[in-house]
Each structure stands twice: as C-alpha cells, then as structure tokens.
Amino acid sequence: METILTPNFNLPDSHTLPVYEKTGGYKTLHKLLKMRPDEVIEEVKKSGLRGRGGAGFGTGLKWSFVPKDPPGPRYLCVNADEGEPGTFKDRALLEKDPHRLIEGSVMCAYAIGAAVGYIYIRGEFDLPYRRIEAALQEAYQKGYLGKNILGSPFSFDLYTHQGAGAYICGEETALLNSIEGKRGEPRIKPPFPAISGLFGAPTVINNVETLSALPYIIEKGAEAYASIGTPKSTGTKLFSVSGPVKKPGVYEVPLGYPLRKFLDEYAGGLMEGKILKAVIPGGSSVPVLTAQEVEEVNLDYESLQEHGSMLGSGGMIVIPDDFCMVHALEILAHFYSHESCGQCSPCREGTAWIYKILKRLEKGQGTPEDLDLLIDISNGMAGQTICVLSDALAMPVKSFLAKFKNEFEEHISLGYCPHRASFRTSGAPTYLSSDQLLWSPRFQSL
Amino acid sequence: MVEITVDGKKITVPHGINLIEAARLAGGFIPHYCYHSKLSVAGNCRMCLVEIEKVPKLQVACNTTVRDGMVFYTNNDRVKRAREQVLEFILVNHPLDCPVCDQAGECKLQEFYMQYDLRESRFRESKSHKPKVVDLGPRVVLDMERCILCTRCVRFCREIAKSDELCVSERGSRNKLTTYPGKALENAYSTNVVDICPVGALTSKDFRFKRRVWFLKKEKSICPGCARGCNIEIHHHDNKIFRLVPRTNEEVNQCWMCDEGRDTYKPVLAQNRLRSPMGFEAGQRTQFSSTEIMPRIQNALSGIAGIDGKSIVGIGSAQATNEDNYALKKFLEITFKSKNLLYHKNESDHPTHDNFLICADKNPNTNGIEALDFVKINTNKKFQAFFILGNLPEEAIKKIALEKKRVVIMLATHDDEDSKWPDFVIPTTTFAESTGTFMNIQRRVQKISPALISPGESRSAWEFFSDLSTYFGKENPIYHSAEAVFQDIVEEHLCYQGLTYKSLGETGKVCP
C-alpha cells in the first residue's frame, strides 16, 4: 500500500533534512510556488482532505473562510497539542518526519496568505519539540522557511510555542488564547478563527497530521489522494493503537479499512489469553464500540458514525474482557473533570459530578437511580457549552451505559467491583486513589 | 432595523443587538448570569440558551445577533429543560447558605431557581469546598463557595475600571476567583463588582451583615461627592442609610459609581449632626429653638448701624442645592436689596480624578450656583453681616471670624469646630434629607429626593429663609415646597427655561 504520511518512518534519521530531501522532500514547493493560492485551496478541496484532529472538517473549505485581502496579517497555527487519551499519532509524525509537517505548513500558509505560523506543541512532548526545533533550523538554512522562500516573493516564518500541560489548549480557540499568553479557555464563537483568530487576525488552525498530508496532495494531485479511501473519507489516516494487542503502535491505513482486519493485521491481534470486549476507536472522547460492532465497522467517518461512534483522532483503545468498564469510565471521567477549563457551568459542574458518582459506583456504593442520573447529567452537558469538552465526557458515559449497563448493574447488586482481585481474595476492599489507578500496572496493561 | 419573531411575537428591532436585548424589546426576559450589557460577552453561564429555528443546537442569546427573519423561542419545553439543567449544575456545589448570605433577597440564584426550576437537587455527593471570607481588597470580601464563576467582576476590572486585578485561577471545578499575585482589588470603582455579582460571592465590607435587603427602602437621588452627579439610589431603613448604589443613567454614569461616592452617606449619619439652632447668650454658646432664634437674628441685624444692601453678603455653597442657594439670593435681594452673592466650594490641592467618572471638582453644584449668578468667594471685601450656607474654607473663616462688629448667620449640618464661631448657627439638611436640584459638570439638572427625616429642628435652607422673611415683613416669597422655589428659578434664569420637576424625570435635563 502506498503510504502518504509514514513512508520515511523506518528510514534511519528520518527526522533530518538530508533524509527528507533524498526522498523527494521540499521538491513540491517549487510546484506550489508556481500555483496561485486559490488554486492550492481548490486542489485541497478536491482532495477531500478532512481535519485529522478529530472533528473531520473539510480542510480546503476551512481555508476558504479566510478573507482574501484583510487589512492586517493572517496566521497559521499548527495544532501539535496532542492530548486526547489513547492518541499518539502526531507525536510519531513530529518525531519521525518533522520536515513533512514543515513543508505542509508552508503550503497551507501560502494558500491562506499567512506570513507567520506557530506550532503549538504539547508541553510534555520533549523529543518531538527538540526534533521540530532542529528541523526548523535546517529548513531556515536551506531557504524553505523565512524570507523569499526558494527565491519567490513568498515569505513565511514558523515558530514553536510550548504548551504548559492543559489538555484544553488543544481546543483551537483555547490554543489561540494560550499563544497570546492568556488563560487557556476556549473562546465563544462566533467570531470564528478564520475571521478573528490569533491576535484578532484571520487564522487557520490545522492538525499536524492534516498538514503532513499536503505535500502528497500538491505533488501527486487531488485525484491521486481522493482515489485512496472511500468517496467521502479520502486518503489515509494514522491510528495509534494501545491496549492488550500484540503490536501496539502507530499505523497508517487507507480510510475505509475494516476495523477487525486492522486489529488483526496491523496490531497483531489481541495478546494471548485476552478476549476483546470493546474498542474506543477515535480517542477517549468517542462512543465505545462493542466486540460485535468491531466486526462490522470500517475505519472511516461514515461507517463509524453509522455505528454511533466517531473516527475522532484515531486514538484506538482496545479493552479486553477482564477490564472493568465502570473503572474505565471512571478514569475517563477523572480525566475530563480534571481537564475541563471550568468556564461553562454544565461542564465545570457536570464533569466533576459524573466523576464523583462513578467513583462511588466503582466502589459498589451506587444505586439504580445513579445510572439514570448519569444519562441525564450527560444530556444536560452535551451540546450546551462553548466547546465540546463536555460532549467528550457525555458521549462515553452514554455509550458505556448503553452498551455495558450490565457491568454497572453488577457493581450495584454486588456492592463491590467484581474485577478487583484484592477484594475477591481478601474480602477487604483496598481502594487506590484514582491517580494511583491511572498509573497502576493494570491500566498500563490495558 | 430587522424583523424577528420572539416566542411567536413579530417585532422590529435595531440591527446588531443580541437576543437578550431583542427579547427585552419584545417585552420578554431571558434569564442570564454572566451577560452584562456593559461588559464583553463571556457566554459561560449557559443560562440564556434559546432555540432558534433552523439551528439544531440551542444557542446562547447573549452571543447571538439578530438576523432579519430570525425566529426564536425563549420559553419552549426544550429551552425550559435546558435552563433547569443549567440551574441544577450551578447549584450542585453552591453552599445554599441563604439564611446567612447577604445577597439573599436580591440573589439571581434564588430568583431564577424560584422562577425557572423549583426542583429538588439530585446531587448526593459531598460538595466541594473552596476559600471563604477572602479579603480581596479594602472594600470587597469573596466567598468562593458561592461564586458561580460568571466572571462579570473579572471583566469589570479589565474593561471598565481598567485595573485588571481579578482573574480565575485553577481549572475545572477547582476554579477560583482571585486577585493576581501581589495585587489587591483596590481600584477606585471596586464596589461595583459587588453590585454586578449576581450571587452572594462578592459582598461589600461596608454593607455586609448590616441589614437584610428586603427591609431596605429605595430613594432615587444624586451622589453629592463630585461634579459628575452620578445617579444613585439611597437604600435606607429606620431613618438610617445603609448603602448608596448606582442608578442607571446612560448619559452620566451608565450604571456605575465610584467607591468615594459610596461613602458620602457617612457624614449624614454622624453623631455630631446639629439638631437645634445655636446662638450666644451672655457670651455663652447656647441652644435655642427655631422660634426663639428668629427674633434674635432680626435684632442682631437691625443692631448694626447703617446696615444696608452693600454691607450684607450671602455666601452660597456649591455643595447646596439650587433651591437653597436661590432662596438665600432671593432673601437678600428683596429684604436688603443686596446683590452681594459669593459662593464657596470644597477644594483640595490634589483632588482625585480620572477620565471616567471621578471629577476633580468635589462639589455637586458648581455649575448650578454659577448659573444663579453667585461668584467665587473673595474675602478682601469687608462686610458687616454674613449669611453663609455650609462650612467655609478655613482661610475665609479666619478672616471673617476676626472681624469686629459683624453678624454671622451660618446654616450648617454638623456641630464641629467650624460651626462654633458664628453668631448664629442654623441646623440644615444634607443631600439625603433634601428635595432639590444639582447642575452637574455637563450642565445636567438632576433632582434629589429625601430619604431620611432630618434630625431635630434642622430643615432646608429655603425653608429657613422663607421663615425668616416673615420677620422682616417684606414681600418676600414664602415657599412651601422646593418645587415652588424651582419654578421661580426657571422663571428668572433663562438657561432653565421650560424645566419642571416633572420634566427632569429620573435622569435630568441638560441646560444650554
């Protein structure tokens, strides 16, 4: 299969400029600079490329919202704040092929008329940060960035900006606030960033993976890209697989690939003795799939939507049948309540409330009414806030309760968690704090 | 103008307004916490969610601008349910300590809960605890557990006071309101955050625990603190003032007032208010009744040899109302044919002022008294008899007090060092006990109304002069109301043309 994003992943020193250039890197910039910006936008639109950060919005369409001749500057922001639990595909791109991202960024900046771009990179990403910094220096030295790129009138400066540990700063408008030095809170929309974004100027925010697909699209043309995948989900996508599979890791597959086949062929199937219970296909915020659904679904936007889930970021979490779903959801609720920025009442209060209930449920202290209440709280959160963080917890809660209600009921009727070995053997529950659980070996084996 | 449909009612509204304002124009109300018409839109409380036709998700009314043909619902089942949910969320960690909360009775959380929710909480977990009795600055105390994080106060300090002392720190349900490190909430307008706080999180150190708000009676008035003339409400009970709060007048103070102005009620309640007229009997300062003092004043004046209009002077005050100053002027004019009209004002070397509300002129009526043809005091000229409104500046006192053979009649509010020396001291009213008008820095004539009954025998200057006139038997006008005084002012002074108390309304009128 032709790879678009990862062809260099297995080459030694793939992160360096000589290797990238040897494989044809930056050559397409000559072609780009001969095109008109609106031709570039048109080409990207035709390719069908959709944002790979999770929302799946048409990339070319997003660019076309930027005003053509605004009075001030325009900006490109590269969203490298990959923080969704289960997702680590941008990290691979940043570590293994940073020049592909830089070349893609130049292409986007050229198309939207941005003279300055910022790579907002997750604070915990140390190696990726050092790699992208080194790559930027190399690119500047060779004239792929900076003034008059490759002798053309087009100039573009690209900077890095390190995050400080907040998941919410991966939300595009919180990201803008963070770059501006403000509190990392999503902005209320409208205005949308394409009209009033970074420092109030028209801004495009694109995910690392989205931008990394551009060199291929410009080089081979929109048709070549669109011929991969399905008619509505074109091209390839990275999936980062974690959980008890034989080969966890990051894999590039054409969209539309059957999930079961992907798990078997790429991830090597489940570890010996493990039985598949569920898969969260697109990062922790998307609705969970049962083992049965895993057999039926394909990895593309439409098929996952038909099965009530989402492609999301492609962060795939495989859950074996000996793992407690109540506990899994409790971990998710802890994460989202910890990471809510707290400005909207439903999210600030709802995520924390859900976490408190789930903590109790997991200990076996729940009541049947709690299950209805969890659904009701989720309904009050979903779609009623500035950003989608509250949806990101509401969706898992509703899907876990819809598909694995028996496990919740079991906790209630037993009065303890049937998955807790310590409880079963000693008869005395020894509860760990959720922080300990998050880093417990059991979670890591997940 | 655009045509919209609010809850089935068609209405034409100005272009560019948001749905909260549009609903208001349609006679409805969309409940909200974080939205404030003078602050930027935060959209965080989610209380103002409405359903707009052809828009799948509910939208916040505060951040949605009207479009022609827009149809929206502020009260259908979906909106009602969303509101209940938001209220339940906001109340999840609220301490519900209404019985000891100062905001009770004027709390939007109480009001909206009663109106839009009235359901029992389903929250069975333990509430989260946050800092209480946080000293934010010299005037404001924070109870973080009551705070609903609407950020009105943060935006006020950033956008209106421009001092940017407050921020939200932490994240999620651990969020808390705080001052930036090393800063205190001490801008000149800080108490406004108490007014705009929709709940009991921010309370005024001056007002808290003094009186339950449902006892308070409200009187519309004008702040006497400076020439701005901020429109205020006097909140009083039991003939005591408990607080002054700003009243909306877009042309003068919008809906704000300064902290200095909020303190102007304190002298009104001082222990040393003059309660009865004072005079001298055999060299001893003695208390008299109003009826006793009048003939004594008459005798004292006629005892001066050769007294005429030239040797008598009226010293008005830029602190006093137009009505009081005018009554003085009229009394001298008719009784003594005197045209000697001076005025004094409160002045300090370094008055606080800014380019927002606070004026360097700390007198509410400088423009007013000048319009009545009083001229600024000049103590070089010698007079034999003085009628003085209010306490004079110190150097003027020294000069006049040193003069031999003179009669000084002073109308004062407080029994202090400055009111010990005149021959006669008549107790008079403060702004909080008077009816009358001030002319502010924009030449806007604004009306004050009495909130309190004045102490003892104190009364308005115009009442005193009307009374005194009867002892001189001239055809002095005898006024029975401040309004009658005002009518005469209007007749005599061109700039007031056409004004009446009624036409001044609640927000006053600008004179040419």
Side-chain angles (χ1 to χ4, degrees):
Chain A
M1 189 209 82
E2 189 180 15
T3 51
I4 291 171
L5 303 160
T6 59
N8 294 0
F9 268 32
N10 293 323
L11 301 179
D13 292 332
S14 63
H15 57 279
T16 59
L17 185 59
V19 175
Y20 188 61
E21 279 179 326
K22 211 176 286 171
T23 56
Y26 289 117
K27 286 217 176 73
T28 319
L29 281 190
H30 294 282
K31 184 181 175 189
L32 172 91
L33 293 166
K34 284 190 198 99
M35 295 167 80
R36 287 199 320 271
D38 57 311
E39 284 174 342
V40 179
I41 296 179
E42 210 40 51
E43 199 67 16
V44 173
K45 267 192 194 168
K46 270 195 286 183
S47 76
L49 175 65
R50 293 166 71 169
R52 301 296 194 227
F57 194 79
T59 305
L61 187 61
K62 192 178 203 175
W63 295 0
S64 67
F65 295 150
V66 174
K68 292 290 161 276
D69 288 300
R74 278 160 280 183
Y75 292 105
L76 164 65
C77 290
V78 182
N79 191 341
D81 191 49
E82 184 176 56
E84 179 92 343
T87 311
F88 44 96
K89 43 110 188 160
D90 293 338
R91 173 176 165 182
L93 284 169
L94 292 161
E95 282 179 14
K96 302 242 176 211
D97 207 350
H99 282 288
R100 194 173 302 277
L101 170 65
I102 295 171
E103 190 179 3
S105 302
V106 174
M107 291 169 166
C108 171
Y110 181 75
I112 62 166
V116 175
Y118 294 92
I119 302 173
Y120 187 90
I121 187 162
R122 179 174 173 182
E124 293 90 333
F125 280 1
D126 183 48
L127 181 62
Y129 172 69
R130 283 185 279 134
R131 291 256 161 106
I132 195 83
E133 273 292 330
L136 284 173
Q137 277 192 10
E138 288 176 317
Y140 265 106
Q141 274 165 12
K142 280 291 189 88
Y144 298 131
L145 280 173
K147 237 181 156 33
N148 303 110
I149 292 173
L150 299 176
S152 75
F154 177 62
S155 303
F156 177 59
D157 284 311
L158 191 55
Y159 305 100
T160 54
H161 186 107
Q162 283 183 288
Y167 166 73
I168 193 61
C169 289
E171 196 277 347
E172 58 178 18
T173 55
L175 182 150
L176 299 179
N177 276 346
S178 181
I179 293 178
E180 290 182 15
K182 295 177 180 152
R183 182 176 160 82
E185 281 178 346
R187 296 178 184 174
I188 191 161
K189 284 140 271 188
F192 290 91
I195 307 301
S196 173
L198 189 64
F199 304 113
T203 303
V204 162
I205 303 116
N206 275 154
N207 175 257
V208 168
E209 187 185 347
T210 315
L211 292 167
S212 296
L214 294 174
Y216 179 93
I217 293 171
I218 302 301
E219 185 198 346
K220 304 273 170 74
E223 278 83 27
Y225 188 83
S227 69
I228 305 166
T230 72
K232 281 188 172 170
S233 301
T234 59
T236 63
K237 171 94 189 76
L238 296 185
F239 289 93
S240 54
V241 193
S242 59
V245 289
K246 284 183 188 142
K247 294 195 295 173
V250 178
Y251 302 102
E252 180 179 9
V253 290
L255 285 168
Y257 208 81
L259 172 52
R260 181 76 233 188
K261 207 169 151 204
F262 172 81
L263 283 177
D264 290 340
E265 289 178 3
Y266 283 84
L270 265 73
M271 290 163 78
E272 294 307 325
K274 295 284 180 186
I275 301 160
L276 183 70
K277 177 155 72 178
V279 170
I280 301 174
S284 60
S285 63
V286 308
V288 64
L289 298 171
T290 62
Q292 179 58 39
E293 287 167 322
V294 168
E295 304 295 328
E296 301 159 1
V297 75
N298 298 331
L299 292 173
D300 59 61
Y301 294 102
E302 295 75 37
S303 175
L304 279 159
Q305 202 169 357
E306 277 165 31
H307 288 83
S309 187
M310 287 159 71
L311 185 69
S313 63
M316 195 179 289
I317 303 171
V318 177
I319 303 176
D321 97 324
D322 57 359
F323 196 85
C324 172
M325 291 306 268
V326 181
H327 180 49
L329 189 59
E330 182 200 343
I331 293 169
L332 291 187
H334 179 247
F335 176 79
Y336 287 105
S337 73
H338 190 265
E339 295 297 339
S340 164
C341 82
Q343 60 173 332
C344 300
S345 334
C347 180
R348 177 183 67 238
E349 305 297 342
T351 53
W353 189 2
I354 286 180
Y355 173 53
K356 282 177 178 173
I357 295 174
L358 284 170
K359 220 164 35 168
R360 195 158 48 73
L361 267 169
E362 163 63 7
K363 284 184 194 168
Q365 296 163 358
T367 63
E369 292 78 49
D370 285 332
L371 305 186
D372 297 330
L373 181 56
L374 282 171
I375 298 289
D376 224 31
I377 298 172
S378 302
N379 286 336
M381 288 160 61
Q384 303 207 351
T385 45
I386 288 174
C387 80
V388 291
L389 192 140
S390 64
D391 301 63
L393 178 58
M395 286 191 293
V397 168
K398 283 160 78 172
S399 69
F400 271 64
L401 276 161
K403 293 172 182 175
F404 299 96
K405 194 169 186 181
N406 58 321
E407 292 198 24
F408 290 82
E409 288 168 342
E410 203 181 2
H411 280 69
I412 295 167
S413 57
L414 287 175
Y416 60 83
C417 172
H419 293 266
R420 291 200 180 232
S422 61
F423 187 83
R424 272 179 301 191
T425 51
S426 70
T430 51
Y431 293 114
L432 300 167
S433 79
S434 53
D435 281 338
Q436 287 171 302
L437 283 171
L438 208 56
W439 301 111
S440 69
R442 211 177 43 160
F443 177 75
Q444 282 172 5
S445 76
L446 175 148
Chain B
M1 300 295 272
V2 292
E3 193 184 78
I4 57 167
T5 310
V6 189
D7 296 325
K9 186 177 164 191
K10 266 200 167 61
I11 176 175
T12 311
V13 298
H15 183 80
I17 65 170
N18 70 20
L19 301 192
I20 290 183
E21 304 296 343
R24 214 173 254 162
L25 292 177
F29 175 71
I30 300 174
H32 54 270
Y33 290 110
C34 68
Y35 173 72
H36 190 284
S37 60
K38 295 282 178 256
L39 304 174
S40 63
V41 168
N44 60 32
C45 74
R46 315 308 286 179
M47 191 63 194
C48 68
L49 288 166
V50 294
E51 185 172 346
I52 303 169
E53 264 186 17
K54 301 192 187 99
V55 181
K57 281 187 186 179
L58 297 182
Q59 300 292 316
V60 280
C62 62
N63 196 46
T64 310
T65 312
V66 287
R67 282 190 317 271
D68 201 29
M70 190 183 250
V71 179
F72 67 95
Y73 302 93
T74 70
N75 228 356
N76 65 16
D77 288 346
R78 203 173 150 208
V79 172
K80 280 185 189 162
R81 180 71 197 121
R83 254 179 223 157
E84 286 169 4
Q85 284 168 326
V86 169
L87 275 165
E88 186 175 28
F89 284 131
I90 292 178
L91 286 164
V92 155
N93 281 305
H94 189 80
L96 298 177
D97 57 348
C98 309
V100 296
C101 176
D102 241 28
Q103 190 83 358
E106 54 180 9
C107 173
K108 290 285 176 258
L109 216 42
Q110 284 182 330
E111 285 169 24
F112 294 165
Y113 173 76
M114 295 306 285
Q115 198 170 348
Y116 302 108
D117 192 3
L118 265 185
R119 297 153 67 95
E120 207 165 299
S121 173
R122 297 174 292 177
F123 187 73
R124 297 282 171 272
E125 324 304 319
S126 55
K127 297 204 179 212
S128 55
H129 290 290
K130 291 187 181 180
K132 295 180 90 76
V133 208
V134 183
D135 192 347
L136 289 183
R139 289 170 182 266
V140 182
V141 180
L142 165 70
D143 183 320
M144 193 52 228
E145 288 184 351
R146 292 179 190 153
C147 176
I148 61 167
L149 290 155
C150 71
T151 69
R152 274 182 172 192
C153 52
V154 175
R155 285 172 284 144
F156 173 83
C157 290
R158 203 164 285 167
E159 297 163 17
I160 306 292
K162 299 195 163 58
S163 49
D164 204 2
E165 297 123 325
L166 293 174
C167 64
V168 175
S169 73
E170 303 285 335
R171 210 162 60 201
S173 62
R174 302 168 310 285
N175 262 356
K176 59 177 201 272
L177 177 71
T178 181
T179 48
Y180 284 107
K183 275 198 171 187
L185 176 59
E186 53 190 356
N187 67 67
Y189 298 91
S190 67
T191 315
N192 286 298
V193 302
V194 175
D195 296 337
I196 58 175
C197 180
V199 299
L202 297 174
T203 48
S204 151
K205 283 187 189 173
D206 187 41
F207 175 69
R208 66 202 303 250
F209 309 139
K210 296 258 171 71
R211 192 86 8 149
R212 304 295 342 207
V213 298
W214 48 84
F215 291 123
L216 297 178
K217 294 184 183 70
K218 295 164 187 182
E219 196 61 49
K220 292 184 177 71
S221 189
I222 300 297
C223 173
C226 80
R228 177 69 51 194
C230 288
N231 290 212
I232 59 167
E233 255 177 21
I234 301 174
H235 287 188
H236 61 100
H237 179 233
D238 260 354
N239 211 40
K240 265 196 209 114
I241 298 175
F242 286 91
R243 62 180 177 186
L244 305 182
V245 296
R247 176 165 63 88
T248 302
N249 186 339
E250 290 299 335
E251 309 298 324
V252 179
N253 55 314
Q254 298 173 5
C255 54
W256 316 117
M257 75 183 288
C258 73
D259 289 343
E260 219 175 288
R262 287 182 201 256
D263 287 341
T264 53
Y265 78 88
K266 289 181 179 164
V268 175
L269 306 181
Q271 288 299 307
N272 63 342
R273 282 294 300 274
L274 267 172
R275 305 181 71 86
S276 53
M278 306 294 287
F280 285 89
E281 176 91 8
Q284 282 294 308
R285 200 156 178 269
T286 315
Q287 199 172 305
F288 293 97
S289 75
S290 287
T291 42
E292 287 166 349
I293 202 95
M294 291 307 203
R296 285 169 189 272
I297 294 173
Q298 191 190 9
N299 286 340
L301 285 173
S302 50
I304 303 174
I307 188 159
D308 64 0
K310 284 199 180 103
S311 57
I312 197 158
V313 66
I315 303 177
S317 168
Q319 291 281 324
T321 61
N322 290 321
E323 285 73 1
D324 287 347
N325 284 308
Y326 180 82
L328 165 64
K329 168 180 168 164
K330 215 66 205 155
F331 174 74
L332 292 186
E333 234 173 59
I334 294 177
T335 314
F336 301 105
K337 304 273 177 296
S338 169
K339 292 270 187 199
N340 297 323
L341 297 173
L342 304 176
Y343 80 89
H344 68 94
K345 60 198 275 191
N346 280 358
E347 277 172 310
S348 63
D349 292 339
H350 302 288
T352 52
H353 65 99
D354 59 21
N355 51 13
F356 184 40
L357 296 182
I358 303 172
C359 298
D361 178 3
K362 298 297 170 198
N363 300 278
N365 202 26
T366 307
N367 272 339
I369 194 155
E370 285 182 352
L372 293 176
D373 306 323
F374 285 77
V375 294
K376 192 133 181 247
I377 193 162
N378 162 352
T379 43
N380 294 335
K381 234 172 145 191
K382 301 254 184 234
F383 296 104
Q384 286 176 292
F386 298 78
F387 281 93
I388 304 170
L389 288 192
N391 291 334
L392 287 178
E394 223 167 303
E395 69 272 30
I397 294 175
K398 276 185 199 140
K399 254 188 168 141
I400 297 168
L402 283 175
E403 294 214 17
K404 303 260 153 45
K405 281 202 174 171
R406 45 95 180 118
V407 176
V408 176
I409 299 112
M410 180 191 269
L411 283 78
T413 52
H414 292 78
D415 189 15
D416 50 23
E417 281 312 306
D418 293 344
S419 57
K420 293 260 189 285
W421 62 275
D423 303 283
F424 300 96
V425 181
I426 309 298
T428 189
T429 53
T430 63
F431 79 102
E433 298 133 359
S434 310
T435 306
T437 55
F438 291 138
M439 191 194 275
N440 82 348
I441 192 161
Q442 314 160 314
R443 299 184 63 76
R444 177 178 294 271
V445 180
Q446 307 189 101
K447 193 170 160 292
I448 61 169
S449 316
L452 309 184
I453 298 163
S454 62
E457 292 190 73
S458 59
R459 50 185 171 165
S460 294
W462 63 263
E463 286 180 78
F464 167 74
F465 287 118
S466 288
D467 194 0
L468 190 61
S469 298
T470 58
Y471 290 86
F472 288 90
K474 299 278 164 57
E475 54 278 10
N476 248 336
I478 309 294
Y479 295 115
H480 294 290
S481 70
E483 192 166 8
V485 185
F486 189 72
Q487 275 168 13
D488 277 6
I489 297 176
V490 173
E491 264 172 46
E492 207 172 295
H493 294 272
L494 209 60
C495 68
Y496 282 89
Q497 208 166 29
L499 294 183
T500 62
Y501 271 7
K502 207 173 162 203
S503 75
L504 291 179
E506 290 184 1
T507 52
K509 284 269 165 2
V510 178
C511 283

